[in-house]
Amino acid sequence: MAIPSFVDRVTVNVTGGNGGNGCASVHREKFKPLGGPDGGNGGDGGSVILRVDPDVTTLVDYHRSSHRSAKNGDQGKGDHQAGANGGNVILPVPDGTVVSTPDGEVLADLVGPGAEYVAAQGGKGGLGNASLASAARKAPGFALLGEDGEARTIVLELKVVADVGLVGYPSAGKSSLVASISRARPKIADYPFTTLIPNLGVVVAGETTFTVADVPGLIEGASEGRGLGHDFLRHVERCAALVHVVDCATYEPGRDPLNDLKVIEAELAAHGGLEDRPRLVALNKIDVPDAREIAEMVTAELREAGMKVFPISTASHEGLDDLKFAMAEVVRTRREETPAPEATRIIIRPSAVSGPEFKVIKTDDGWLVQGEKPLRWVRQTDFGNAEATGYLADRLNRLGVERELLKLGAVEGDAVIIGDGPNAIVFDFAPEVQAGAEILARRGEDHRLEEPRPAVKRRRDKDEEYHAFKAGELEAPADLSEYGKGWVEDEVDLSPAEAKAAEKAAAKAARKAAIE
């Protein structure tokens, strides 16, 4: 199956990168056995960003490859090393691209070079245990997991940005008109539906420069899906003015300029949103004798109806200058009436914090806890680590989940569900039960950081004996000669090599003392 060169509507699956996990590490250095936590944070996942590129005119790249993913963030490391962030993926799109959901909800309308929209946000990296340390939790033995990146399906729809749109029946001469008044060279042939894609041409009329779009031929019923008009009517939505190109030399039965104009207007009305666009009528092919007579017959009637009519010939170029300057006048007037666009501002609207942050619902399976915070906290928790599970319980208690469950009548042993679907986490409700990591100490703490080491205690005792002897409160200390120096292996924290060297030094000193 051949892939078209012009695509103006595609469905794309975008996925943001996952955040890297935080690192649980303890600083280890000579003479510093308890250096404290030094696990770094995980890197943030990359995002998928749509950006308008003036050099891109079609969505065909996403027709060929409809799955786009950003890179994951790296995991944190020890020694306070944060993981690298995942790189963003920039998807260039044409000017005039509308981003929407498969259900039709419009998410963004990208107009103007550089306009951006974050289609899939990357996940946040997890915190390392160094960031989780506090006065009450001095040595956390766990870290938070990185969050998954956002995954969604979006629809990209291109609406050509042009000043003037040419509409009319197939073979009415729209492509020939674009080729005659601009440098565009669309495909031209003597059979219907020659044009399969919108063609853009840049026209200069006096001091006004504007763009003209040749929209593929419309027929009766185009707004309902007949012909090609259903696919390309969207391309006239952004046009400042419309030009009806009417074929005055057609030999098809039942066709005449007035009827053609009536049919096209009915299709535009059925599509909707084009009632305020100025109209011009170009009666084409007057180089044919019969066509000139027909054009002269209907010109007066159309002008009486308030329409601006221009008999033209794309073959002989008759009447084209008048039509160009008329289009330029309409475009200039429209630009003057349209206020200048304001500079794009980034507006951050944080979510309201006054409302409840979670909700508890009684279900047949148990108590269901809903809310963005509980769901995020569950995704960040490593349930293989008892201390991390206890930390989650603390966070939920501080949020008020336990109080709400008790208020609604939950009893010990009831199932508590956080999350939806197969990834939901189920707990047995146990109010005020401490985690296993806290049986010996408060969560995240280490008694070794609170209590002095035995060697320190022995040194302090010797210091007290020495000062008591100097003050006359003690006749003689037990080992005054060794005060402040010569501590043996069991009185200090030594490496194996240092302990062996100390043992040799002690043996040498003993032999020397025996000889003396």
Side-chain angles (χ1 to χ4, degrees), residues 319-340:
L320 292 185
D321 287 342
D322 293 339
L323 177 61
K324 282 199 307 183
F325 280 94
M327 289 190 289
E329 180 63 27
V330 172
V331 170
R332 185 166 54 251
T333 303
R334 184 82 174 188
R335 290 174 179 174
E336 292 174 353
E337 295 175 351
T338 304

Side-chain angles (χ1 to χ4, degrees), residues 74-141:
D74 290 343
Q75 183 173 337
K77 301 178 183 179
D79 199 19
H80 300 282
Q81 297 183 66
N85 295 332
N88 295 333
V89 172
I90 306 297
L91 303 182
V93 296
D95 193 1
T97 300
V98 178
V99 187
S100 59
T101 65
D103 297 331
E105 178 187 358
V106 176
L107 302 175
D109 190 355
L110 302 178
V111 178
E116 290 185 353
Y117 173 71
V118 179
Q121 184 70 49
K124 298 292 292 183
L127 296 180
N129 64 341
S131 297
L132 295 172
S134 64
R137 182 180 292 104
K138 296 183 178 179

